[in-house]
């Protein structure tokens, strides 16, 4: 199993990729999964899904706003108290912000996006670094976006700017922490079929008065594999980067988008 006996923290538990990351970590043999989100009900849902697998993974739930350093420290402490170590951190928490364009955006509104996607992610990463340094091992993966790699037709300028800054910071972290046995990588997601994207297509179908399938096919025709990847698939790609199979990989970026973007 990909994550046999590992202790994995997953931030940003929600109805899409976040909960799938936690579930797939448990399915892949993690001994412990520490789930974090701003809302306790999302954590309860993650715990129920993991228990339904019938696996041995112990679940620790921690309400955490990653923009608050003390809450990040508390999350790391809860993981260490429960398991004595932290093998992996999957930074999935994010704030999308407004659908905007750099030429017309309310730049003050970008602050909240930056506080979560860049500074909050770095705060949580910094919170687990001392434990990983003491172990001389650990792996961090940043959930990033295809919007950093190519300019989408949708207005996502603020979101993309925050994630581009995170991508750059991840390389600094990889360089700085490599001597301590800590790896840091990024995975850039594109379209992911799951609850959030399905809801988006259903809304667009109502607005445009067209079938959902027509909209889906309009996107899928630009994806070499001919379909929108599922969030389960993308979660497994991210978890590969914190597994021992990627022990020689740090400072790297992996595109998990069905080939829609190729560097």
């Amino acid at each position: 199993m990909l994550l046999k006996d590992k202790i994995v923290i997953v931030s940003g538990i929600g109805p899409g990729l976040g909960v799938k990351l936690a579930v797939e970590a448990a399915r892949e043999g993690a001994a412990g999964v520490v789930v974090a989100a701003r809302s306790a009900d999302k954590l309860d849902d993650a715990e129920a899904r993991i228990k339904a697998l019938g696996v041995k993974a112990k679940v620790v739930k921690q309400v955490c706003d990653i923009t608050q350093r003390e809450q990040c420290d508390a999350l790391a402490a809860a993981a260490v108290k429960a398991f004595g170590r932290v093998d992996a951190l999957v930074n999935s928490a994010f704030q999308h912000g407004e659908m905007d364009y750099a030429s017309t955006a309310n730049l003050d509104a970008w602050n909240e996006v930056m506080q979560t996607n860049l500074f909050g992610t770095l705060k949580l990463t910094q919170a687990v670094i001392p434990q990983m340094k003491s172990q001389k091992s650990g792996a961090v993966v940043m959930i990033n976006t295809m919007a950093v790699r190519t300019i989408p037709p949708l207005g996502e300028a603020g979101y993309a700017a925050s994630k581009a800054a995170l991508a750059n910071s991840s390389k600094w972290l990889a360089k700085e922490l490599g001597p301590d046995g800590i790896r840091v990588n990024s995975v850039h997601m594109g379209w992911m079929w799951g609850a959030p994207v399905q809801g988006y297509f259903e809304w667009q179908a109502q607005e445009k008065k067209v079938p959902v399938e027509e909209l889906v096919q309009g996107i899928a025709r630009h994806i070499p594999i001919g379909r929108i990847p599922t969030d389960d698939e993308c979660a497994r790609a991210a978890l590969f980067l914190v597994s021992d199979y990627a022990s020689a990989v740090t400072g790297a970026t992996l595109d998990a988008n069905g080939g829609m973007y190729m560097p």
Side-chain angles (χ1 to χ4, degrees), residues 126-158:
Q126 289 179 347
V128 304
I129 285 173
Q131 177 60 37
M132 289 184 173
K133 280 187 173 182
S134 73
Q135 301 165 185
K136 297 297 291 182
S137 67
V140 179
V141 64
M142 309 296 193
I143 303 300
N144 214 298
T145 173
M146 189 171 69
V148 167
R149 317 282 257 167
T150 183
I151 306 301
L154 300 174
E156 293 182 296

Side-chain angles (χ1 to χ4, degrees), residues 117-189:
N117 298 349
L118 177 61
F119 300 122
T121 299
L122 292 177
K123 286 175 184 177
L124 182 53
T125 301
Q126 289 179 347
V128 304
I129 285 173
Q131 177 60 37
M132 289 184 173
K133 280 187 173 182
S134 73
Q135 301 165 185
K136 297 297 291 182
S137 67
V140 179
V141 64
M142 309 296 193
I143 303 300
N144 214 298
T145 173
M146 189 171 69
V148 167
R149 317 282 257 167
T150 183
I151 306 301
L154 300 174
E156 293 182 296
Y159 175 62
S162 69
K163 288 291 196 173
L166 179 62
N168 182 269
S169 297
S170 299
K171 294 184 181 297
W172 281 81
L173 286 168
K175 181 74 171 180
E176 294 164 15
L177 300 176
D180 296 298
I182 302 169
R183 299 183 298 103
V184 183
N185 293 292
S186 300
V187 57
H188 291 252
M189 307 300 188

Side-chain angles (χ1 to χ4, degrees), residues 229-241:
T230 66
D231 46 16
D232 306 79
E233 291 176 294
C234 294
R236 290 191 286 271
L239 294 175
F240 162 75
L241 289 172

Side-chain angles (χ1 to χ4, degrees), residues 38 40 43 47 51 62 79 84 87 89 108 110 120 147-149 173 194 204 211 225 231 233 237 239:
R38 294 184 183 185
L43 304 182
E47 181 181 41
K51 285 184 175 180
Q62 185 81 12
D87 297 304
L89 168 63
D108 291 336
W110 284 22
V148 167
R149 317 282 257 167
L173 286 168
Q204 282 288 287
I225 64 173
D231 46 16
E233 291 176 294
L239 294 175

Side-chain angles (χ1 to χ4, degrees), residues 7-8 26 30-34 47 50 55-60 81-83:
I7 307 305
V8 182
V33 182
V34 183
E47 181 181 41
I50 290 171
V55 296
K56 68 175 184 177
K58 178 181 176 181
V59 179
V60 171
K81 180 180 179 180
F83 302 108

Side-chain angles (χ1 to χ4, degrees), residues 197-246:
V197 167
Q198 184 175 350
Y200 167 78
F201 276 115
E202 289 171 351
W203 168 66
Q204 282 288 287
Q206 290 182 345
E207 289 287 309
K208 297 181 178 181
K209 306 259 190 297
V210 297
V212 168
E213 186 58 29
E214 180 179 325
L215 296 174
V216 172
Q217 287 305 313
I219 298 296
R221 72 169 59 101
H222 299 292
I223 302 176
I225 64 173
R227 59 181 176 82
I228 297 176
T230 66
D231 46 16
D232 306 79
E233 291 176 294
C234 294
R236 290 191 286 271
L239 294 175
F240 162 75
L241 289 172
V242 296
S243 78
D244 291 342
Y245 285 99

